[in-house]
Amino acid sequence: MDFQFPVEFSEEATPEKCTSGSRTDVNVLDSMIANATCSSDSPSNPIYVQSETIHEENIESHHHLLEEQKGTLPATAIGRTSDDGYNWRKYGKKLIKGSEHPRSYYKCNHENCLVKKKIECAHDGQITEIIYKGTHNHP
DNA sequence: AGCCTTTGACCAGCG
DNA sequence: TCGCTGGTCAAAGGC
């Protein structure tokens, strides 16, 4: 890995947080830190972050992500019919200050679905972070 | 022909 | 009030 978390992060990201932090989004930041740190031992795996409210079905899709994160998903598989089974359209790209990777912005292609996601991608195509916003109103 | 990606410009929030 | 930054728009080009 070519980045490190500050000491405070490492101290906070205890195994308990790893297991409990992903349950709800009450502590989004905590789970962000926990998820990021927990997956830090496998650099090829993306870091999935769920923002805003997580509903039942969203938790399911979150599980999907986590399952894919475990092994079968190639990190380079970013496409219109993306890793999570939804159709996404890219609408922007930005270089975020402090981050060495550009961030891409995607909207769900389904009509009346306002879900968006942000993906940070490394030079070699590896996903370093995914942030979801909103809830899909379709399967 | 239609949809998607790219990319520079624009906008809004914040310090 | 101003500058910086993240997020979005929209035109252009490609597939």
Side-chain angles (χ1 to χ4, degrees):
Chain A
M1 291 293 280
D2 52 357
F3 72 90
Q4 295 177 346
F5 284 102
V7 176
E8 304 87 47
F9 279 19
S10 306
E11 287 176 351
E12 276 209 17
T14 58
E16 298 95 73
K17 295 234 174 186
C18 289
T19 52
S20 63
S22 61
R23 214 31 214 133
T24 67
D25 67 331
V26 176
N27 300 316
V28 173
L29 287 177
D30 276 349
S31 64
M32 280 176 65
I33 296 168
N35 280 330
T37 313
C38 288
S39 58
S40 64
D41 56 343
S42 48
S44 64
N45 287 339
I47 301 164
Y48 293 99
V49 177
Q50 190 87 30
S51 66
E52 295 201 344
T53 307
I54 300 178
H55 300 313
E56 290 293 328
E57 59 177 352
N58 228 344
I59 292 175
E60 260 184 57
S61 67
H62 198 228
H63 275 282
H64 272 301
L65 293 174
L66 290 176
E67 284 174 18
E68 288 170 348
Q69 179 180 351
K70 283 177 184 169
T72 58
L73 173 68
T76 53
I78 314 168
R80 287 188 291 123
T81 51
S82 181
D83 40 4
D84 49 14
Y86 296 101
N87 293 334
W88 300 96
R89 185 206 313 222
K90 189 175 186 176
Y91 67 92
K93 183 181 180 182
K94 198 83 174 180
L95 195 59
I96 303 302
K97 179 149 190 170
S99 172
E100 55 181 317
H101 309 309
R103 176 179 293 173
S104 299
Y105 300 87
Y106 295 84
K107 285 177 183 173
C108 181
N109 243 353
H110 197 276
E111 56 180 346
N112 297 329
C113 184
L114 301 177
V115 177
K116 298 172 184 177
K117 70 174 178 179
K118 297 174 280 190
I119 296 183
E120 282 189 32
C121 220
H123 315 295
D124 55 4
Q126 288 189 343
I127 301 172
T128 59
E129 184 172 353
I130 298 180
I131 301 174
Y132 283 85
K133 182 178 183 180
T135 306
H136 292 281
N137 56 9
H138 58 95

